[in-house]
Amino acid sequence: MMDPDYLPFHANPSKPEFKAPAGAVDAHCHVFGPADQFPYHPKRKYTPCDASKQQLFDLRDHLGFSRNVIVQASCHGTDNAALIDALETAGELARGIAVVDPAITVEELEAMDKAGVRGVRFNFVKRLVDSTPKEVFLSIAEKIKPLGWHIVVYFEAPDLAELIPFLNELDTTIVVDHMGRPDVANGVDHEDFQRFIKLMEDNEKIWVKTTCPERLTLTPPDYSDVVPFMKTLVEKFPDRCLWGTDWPHPNMKSHTPDDGKLVDVIPQIAVTEELQQKLLVDNPMRLYWAR
Ligand code: 0GY
């Protein structure tokens, strides 16, 4: 049963005014259940509304996108069955990011690779997961290296300073979810966001998802306070940014985002066709579809 305070995704998102370039990738989204087929994990911190692969693919088409990168969310723990099922249905139109246990075998990883998985996610957000020792993450990083996978990390801005040595120890590409979750009340010049920018300047292996204005805004459903953060990253690091809807928007409390309106933020953060092409097509294709 869905949590009583859980907000289901928008039933009827608008058609965006922005027309995405041909081949655009939604590089951060999830599938949830359906629970009768793919049960949620017993240790999950929330129980969402089911959000099926077909609903995701319908949204992709409605928004004028071509492909998805589906990210394993914490409510499914390390059971990637719903993700793999969605990837197998989508074929070349989707890639995946899994969450794995350190005991996973090479054979299991290779099977995931065949299904379209191209990386693992390390989640440091305390409300979502129990903490995992760094050595465990490092052993997973070693295991995935031969496959050429990358690592997606999810943390909040106050935790970055402590994480930097760990991130610099990883020798694969690293993708940071949701811009490292800055507190937008602080503004772009605050030391927390500047610390993140400096990390990207210092470490060229780090990429970023310019995502989640709906989570970060203080003025929902107006996302203009988040635009300067997204635009700064797109302009400073045009070849290392990704964009995604974050559908079906787990754990939203303030409002139910309209996915069409989220797409309409894109031309405000990537203000030229060249930047839009990199953000939506060239960068995700290079990272997820290059082989
Ligand atoms: C997101 C954001 C959230 C949830 C998860 O793994 C998850 O459950 O990432 C969140 O609650 O901020 O990327 O979907």
Side-chain angles (χ1 to χ4, degrees), residues 15 54 56-66 93:
K15 200 89 183 155
Q54 196 53 51
L56 174 65
F57 303 150
D58 290 348
L59 179 77
R60 173 198 69 202
D61 296 346
H62 175 77
L63 297 177
F65 277 60
S66 300
L93 299 185

Side-chain angles (χ1 to χ4, degrees), residues 4-127:
D5 64 343
Y6 190 92
L7 284 183
F9 56 89
H10 202 294
N12 204 0
S14 60
K15 200 89 183 155
E17 279 170 37
F18 174 69
K19 240 183 108 23
V25 181
D26 173 355
H28 187 98
C29 49
H30 311 286
V31 286
F32 292 158
D36 57 3
Q37 201 184 346
F38 302 108
Y40 298 114
H41 196 271
K43 287 194 179 157
R44 66 190 177 277
K45 306 285 187 196
Y46 63 91
T47 305
C49 163
D50 283 349
S52 72
K53 60 185 176 186
Q54 196 53 51
Q55 288 170 307
L56 174 65
F57 303 150
D58 290 348
L59 179 77
R60 173 198 69 202
D61 296 346
H62 175 77
L63 297 177
F65 277 60
S66 300
R67 297 167 192 251
N68 296 109
V69 180
I70 308 173
V71 178
Q72 172 79 352
S74 60
C75 55
H76 276 298
T78 54
D79 179 353
N80 296 279
L83 166 69
I84 299 295
D85 175 67
L87 293 177
E88 284 175 343
T89 302
E92 276 307 298
L93 299 185
R95 293 290 188 256
I97 293 294
V99 173
V100 303
D101 188 271
I104 193 157
T105 65
V106 173
E107 291 71 29
E108 287 169 315
L109 289 172
E110 282 170 352
M112 284 186 181
D113 185 82
K114 211 158 168 238
V117 173
R118 292 293 180 267
V120 289
R121 191 184 200 203
F122 295 167
N123 194 333
F124 296 94
V125 177
K126 294 173 190 85
R127 76 186 153 78

Side-chain angles (χ1 to χ4, degrees), residues 151-200:
I151 295 170
V152 171
V153 290
Y154 190 23
F155 58 82
E156 294 177 326
D159 299 324
L160 174 59
E162 188 253 327
L163 271 176
I164 287 176
F166 170 76
L167 296 177
N168 285 333
E169 218 176 310
L170 300 172
D171 62 358
T172 56
T173 296
I174 300 165
V175 182
V176 175
D177 276 341
H178 313 336
M179 305 189 286
R181 291 203 61 132
D183 178 348
V184 301
N186 289 334
V188 167
D189 294 332
H190 186 271
E191 60 176 349
D192 281 353
F193 194 60
Q194 290 303 316
R195 181 182 295 112
F196 180 60
I197 288 177
K198 173 142 190 344
L199 176 68
M200 286 197 68

